[in-house]
């Protein structure tokens, strides 16, 4: 029998033959289940043997959980059903013992009312899966929008060695010789259909050509934003965040992630050793340079605070002023998609071009620093990944606005909107529900102009519920037929990272809990000044006080179940929409489970 205190024969516990182990097998979490000579451990070992495993397969070896978010209703993760075998191959090659633990898939395409309702459920599931099972490290398989932050939130709170394996973007879409991008071209051609510029048959062609393979959205949506952030913060192997899902390199990435997590267990390289405040600064800088999704703000704040790092809206504003957008990928860019970005040099190429904005000393899952990981990185297409001297937008992807409409902040994506709305004043047109708004925008006799400000409220974390991606309010049909394609829109909702337009989002506090947005009335003048970072309604304090006194809280959305728990404990957008009881500082650390 092998010595249970040593790595399996021929396998080293660090980087090279001379690197000593930082752990012994006797210190593994899994040893609490399999090691003792008692009745309970007899049960654990005998049940492993019931599944056909021999003691030689787990003795002295790290047990690696593969948290797999595959499902039959998750098109972004279709390949995970087979890709998990590639991860297992890598784990076995490195001397680990792989075990697959399925988790909720949070499919952006199908889950209603919104996957944001279930990001925290995935986080809780991940944390408790890792805590309750005899595992020493984890490979986290995700990619679709909320799966990346959900998995990382849970793994960070559990804080055993973990590595993230991104699903990768799908292949570019195609219709009649035109390149199609997820989401972005859906919104574009939907407006063209409503304006009478394309036919119903054209629309069916777009529908069949926009998503041609497994993988996540191939625009710079929330999926590619969050996997890039996961790499920038140090949780993904170098360059792994932008490998296309259908590329053979993705199979190799899966196997390499499996090999690397085994060494990370021996080294005791945990998420909190990687996820420093400086690492989150790197993540914000990369997000700004890539033309990131507005959702990045919510997820990054939640992730950082789970790691014990106090990141907030002011940090995003600071980086926004100094890091330009150099990733020329839709929707902030106007031509390229993630395939182009990857083959142009990918995330390593982009990070190399903003290295003066990065802390290169931050440690990553490789055990090496960010600086070491991007050493020698090259860019092969200067139009896809621009230089900082030739950006597609002179400031960062996102801007944080504050004022009497959003005292706790809101967000806009300046690079992906008609620039004439960067400074604008117009009368508000207010809707209290999505159906009410949808009915109005299809009315061609509606008395509305492109100078009006469309407002949707009751769509925030509690009001939505779950803060749905309703923030890219549809353009009124009347205006589309007049030739307009943008106008100022505002809500306490989110919008898809594939969306675009002059959309003010995440207004906090939300209207459902009595935020100032709840007090806005039709005809009130709203002023936005992106350069000054302000957003205000021209209503006196006296009038606002009177409206506040008359305001009545809406009836609760849920009276039982997960929705009830969600609305009782969800935080506002500027706090990351985490559950209050999951915050790191909420209570004492959760102990290891008792085994008797």
């Amino acid at each position: 029998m092998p010595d249970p205190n040593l790595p399996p024969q021929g396998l080293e516990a660090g980087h090279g033959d001379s690197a000593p182990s930082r752990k012994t097998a006797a210190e593994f979490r899994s040893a609490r289940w399999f090691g003792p000579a008692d009745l309970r451990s007899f049960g654990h070992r005998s049940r492993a043997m019931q599944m056909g495993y021999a003691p030689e397969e787990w003795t002295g070896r790290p047990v690696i959980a593969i948290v797999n978010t595959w499902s039959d209703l998750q098109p972004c993760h279709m390949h995970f059903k087979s890709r998990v075998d590639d991860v297992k191959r890598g784990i076995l090659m490195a001397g680990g013992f792989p075990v697959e633990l399925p988790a909720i898939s949070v499919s952006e395409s199908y889950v209603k009312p919104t996957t944001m309702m279930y990001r925290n459920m995935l986080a809780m599931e991940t944390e408790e899966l890792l805590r309750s099972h005899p595992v020493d490290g984890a490979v986290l398989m995700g990619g679709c929008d909320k799966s990346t932050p959900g998995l990382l939130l849970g793994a960070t709170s559990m804080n055993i060695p973990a590595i993230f394996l991104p699903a990768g973007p799908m292949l570019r879409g195609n219709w009649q010789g035109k390149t199609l991008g997820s989401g972005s071209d859906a919104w574009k051609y939907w407006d063209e259909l409503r304006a009478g510029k394309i036919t119903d048959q054209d629309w069916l062609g777009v529908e069949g050509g926009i998503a041609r393979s497994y993988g996540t959205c191939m625009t710079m949506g929330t999926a590619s934003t969050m996997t890039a952030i996961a790499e920038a913060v140090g949780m993904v192997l170098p360059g792994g965040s932008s490998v296309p899902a259908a590329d053979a390199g993705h199979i190799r990435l899966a196997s390499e992630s499996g090999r690397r997590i085994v060494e990370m267990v021996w080294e005791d390289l945990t998420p909190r050793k990687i996820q420093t405040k400086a690492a989150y600064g790197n993540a914000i800088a990369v997000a700004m340079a890539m033309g990131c999704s507005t959702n990045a703000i919510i997820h990054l704040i939640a992730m950082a605070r789970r790691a014990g790092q106090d990141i907030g809206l002011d940090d995003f504003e600071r980086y926004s002023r100094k890091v330009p957008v150099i990733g020329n990928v839709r929707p902030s860019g106007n031509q390229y998609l993630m395939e182009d970005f990857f083959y142009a040099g990918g995330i390593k190429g982009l990070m190399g071009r903003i290295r003066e904005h990065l802390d290169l000393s931050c440690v990553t899952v490789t055990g090496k620093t960010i600086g070491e990981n991007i050493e020698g990185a090259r860019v092969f297409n200067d139009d896809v990944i621009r230089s900082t001297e030739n950006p597609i937008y002179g400031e960062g992807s996102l801007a944080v606005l504050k004022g009497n409409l959003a005292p706790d902040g809101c967000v806009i994506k300046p690079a992906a909107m008609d620039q004439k709305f960067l400074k604008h004043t117009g009368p508000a047109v207010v809707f209290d529900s999505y159906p009410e708004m949808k009915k109005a925008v299809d009315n061609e006799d509606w008395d509305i102009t492109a100078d009006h400000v469309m407002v949707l409220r009751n769509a925030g974390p509690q009001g939505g519920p779950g803060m749905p991606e309703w923030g890219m309010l549809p353009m009124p049909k009347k205006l589309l037929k007049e030739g307009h394609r943008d106008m100022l829109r505002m809500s306490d909702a989110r919008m898809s990272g594939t969306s675009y337009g002059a959309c003010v989002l995440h207004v906090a506090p939300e209207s459902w809990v009595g935020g100032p947005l709840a007090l806005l009335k039709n005809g009130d003048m709203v002023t936005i000044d992106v350069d000054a970072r302000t957003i205000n309604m021209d209503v006196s304090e006296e009038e606002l006080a009177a409206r506040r006194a008359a305001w009545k809280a809406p009836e609760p959305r849920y009276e039982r179940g997960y929705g009830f728990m969600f609305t009782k404990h969800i935080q506002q957008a500027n706090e990351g929409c985490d559950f209050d009881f999951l915050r790191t500082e909420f209570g004492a650390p959760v102990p290891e489970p008792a085994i008797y």
Side-chain angles (χ1 to χ4, degrees):
M1 293 284 285
D3 186 336
N5 292 315
L6 296 174
Q9 188 174 4
L11 298 170
E12 302 302 332
H15 298 293
D17 295 341
S18 62
S21 299
R22 293 176 57 188
K23 261 191 169 183
T24 65
E27 296 174 296
F28 289 166
R29 292 185 73 249
S30 58
R32 300 181 62 235
W33 277 260
F34 293 115
D38 60 16
L39 180 60
R40 185 60 62 203
S41 292
F42 162 87
H44 300 147
R45 293 188 296 269
S46 67
R47 292 297 186 176
M49 295 179 76
Q50 176 188 6
M51 293 185 285
Y53 298 116
E56 290 80 5
E57 294 184 72
W58 72 75
T59 303
R61 299 173 183 268
V63 179
I64 306 298
I66 307 171
V67 184
N68 189 356
T69 53
W70 172 87
S71 89
D72 268 333
L73 282 176
Q74 176 50 289
C76 304
H77 298 176
M78 280 192 294
H79 53 315
F80 279 0
K81 191 172 188 177
S82 60
R83 200 68 88 242
V84 66
D85 293 330
D86 303 309
V87 178
K88 288 179 179 179
R89 184 177 80 246
I91 293 168
L92 290 167
M93 286 175 65
F97 181 58
V99 292
E100 183 181 358
L101 300 177
I104 186 174
S105 69
V106 287
S107 169
E108 202 69 28
S109 304
Y110 291 110
V111 172
K112 308 302 177 189
T114 166
T115 52
M116 194 63 187
M117 278 281 289
Y118 301 102
R119 183 201 72 180
N120 294 346
M121 177 183 277
L122 174 58
M124 293 172 69
E125 182 180 21
T126 302
E127 180 178 351
E128 300 307 325
L129 278 173
L130 299 181
R131 177 174 291 113
S132 61
H133 286 89
V135 297
D136 305 300
V139 177
L140 311 169
M141 297 181 65
C144 190
D145 295 12
K146 310 308 178 297
S147 65
T148 301
L151 290 164
L152 289 170
L153 286 165
T156 300
S157 290
M158 182 55 202
N159 201 38
I160 62 173
I163 193 169
F164 185 76
L165 173 62
M170 70 175 90
L171 300 177
R172 62 172 64 87
N174 185 278
W175 170 66
Q176 294 187 353
K178 299 179 179 67
T179 297
L180 298 179
S182 305
S184 300
D185 280 317
W187 322 130
K188 171 186 171 182
Y189 286 109
W190 177 243
D191 280 352
E192 296 305 304
L193 180 68
R194 294 173 67 228
K197 300 295 185 181
I198 64 171
T199 67
D200 289 340
Q201 195 62 37
D202 290 332
W203 178 243
L204 288 175
V206 173
E207 187 175 299
I210 201 166
R212 297 193 303 113
S213 77
Y214 49 75
T216 61
C217 292
M218 78 308 251
T219 44
M220 186 52 69
T222 304
S224 287
T225 290
M226 293 313 301
T227 56
I229 283 170
E231 180 171 342
V233 86
M235 295 298 293
V236 177
L237 289 174
S241 65
S242 51
V243 181
D247 193 295
H250 193 270
I251 299 174
R252 295 191 291 272
L253 174 68
S255 180
E256 187 180 356
S257 297
R259 294 194 300 274
R260 178 59 196 148
I261 188 60
V262 174
E263 288 198 37
M264 288 175 65
V265 171
W266 289 108
E267 297 165 6
D268 197 31
L269 183 53
T270 59
R272 296 210 185 171
K273 293 177 181 177
I274 294 169
Q275 296 180 41
T276 62
K277 187 160 187 177
Y280 277 101
N282 288 343
I284 297 173
V286 167
M288 290 297 175
M290 290 188 73
C292 68
S293 164
T294 50
N295 290 301
I297 287 186
I298 294 176
H299 300 316
L300 257 175
I301 289 173
M303 288 163 55
R305 293 183 179 185
R306 287 289 191 99
Q309 310 302 336
D310 186 18
I311 294 292
L313 293 180
D314 290 345
D315 295 288
F316 287 87
E317 176 56 25
R318 182 161 51 88
Y319 280 93
S320 174
R321 291 294 196 180
K322 65 181 182 179
V323 182
V325 178
I326 63 171
N328 189 11
V329 180
R330 300 183 198 174
S332 292
N334 60 10
Q335 181 177 354
Y336 300 109
L337 298 172
M338 287 302 296
E339 252 187 286
D340 306 299
F341 178 78
F342 176 69
Y343 297 121
I347 189 69
K348 290 173 66 177
L350 179 137
M351 292 176 79
R353 289 202 157 171
I354 61 165
R355 57 188 303 131
E356 69 270 20
H357 299 296
L358 303 176
D359 186 329
L360 300 176
S361 68
C362 291
V363 175
T364 72
V365 290
T366 63
K368 301 177 182 178
T369 65
I370 284 284
E372 291 174 297
N373 288 350
I374 66 172
E375 186 67 35
R378 297 171 60 193
V379 171
F380 305 102
N381 186 324
D382 289 322
D383 193 38
V384 179
I385 303 174
R386 301 281 187 89
S387 67
T388 54
E389 293 78 28
N390 181 35
I392 67 166
Y393 191 75
E395 290 190 346
S397 177
L398 309 179
V400 175
L401 315 177
K402 292 185 178 182
N404 69 357
L405 262 172
D408 291 337
C410 58
V411 63
I412 194 168
K413 195 172 184 177
M417 60 182 279
D418 190 323
Q419 301 296 286
K420 70 182 180 182
F421 293 110
L422 291 173
K423 190 171 185 177
H424 180 76
T425 298
V429 181
V430 184
F431 299 99
D432 287 319
S433 72
Y434 198 94
E436 178 189 356
M437 178 272 300
K438 191 171 184 296
K439 182 179 179 181
V441 298
D442 286 333
N443 178 8
E444 295 185 50
D445 296 323
W446 189 18
D447 186 20
I448 191 168
T449 72
D451 289 328
H452 279 83
V453 180
M454 282 179 59
V455 178
L456 175 66
R457 57 191 176 201
N458 300 324
Q462 292 194 33
M467 208 178 178
E469 292 185 340
W470 295 343
M472 185 181 171
L473 309 186
M475 286 288 294
K477 199 170 186 178
K478 172 189 174 184
L479 298 183
L480 289 173
K481 291 194 170 184
E482 291 175 0
H484 300 285
R485 291 298 182 269
D486 203 359
M487 66 185 300
L488 190 60
R489 290 157 278 178
M490 181 170 60
S491 72
D492 44 16
R494 298 177 300 111
M495 77 176 183
S496 167
T498 66
S499 299
Y500 51 84
C503 302
V504 177
L505 311 155
H506 311 178
V507 173
E510 65 174 309
S511 56
W512 191 266
V513 300
L517 195 64
L519 310 180
L520 190 67
K521 291 186 176 182
N522 286 324
D524 289 343
M525 299 301 290
V526 173
T527 297
I528 180 176
D529 187 333
V530 172
D531 187 54
R533 300 298 199 258
T534 57
I535 184 165
N536 290 288
M537 53 179 159
D538 186 14
V539 181
S540 69
E541 284 300 318
E542 293 77 15
E543 174 62 18
L544 287 176
R547 294 182 188 182
R548 189 172 289 110
W551 179 79
K552 293 182 180 179
E555 293 295 317
R557 292 282 196 202
Y558 296 97
E559 294 187 3
R560 63 166 300 281
Y562 177 75
F564 177 84
M565 182 181 77
F566 182 95
T567 53
K568 288 290 184 183
H569 296 285
I570 192 69
Q571 296 182 300
Q572 289 293 297
N574 61 300
E575 300 173 296
C577 291
D578 206 353
F579 288 157
D580 54 9
F581 63 85
L582 293 179
R583 296 176 308 178
T584 302
E585 70 276 15
F586 186 81
V590 180
E592 287 285 354
I595 303 177
Y596 297 120

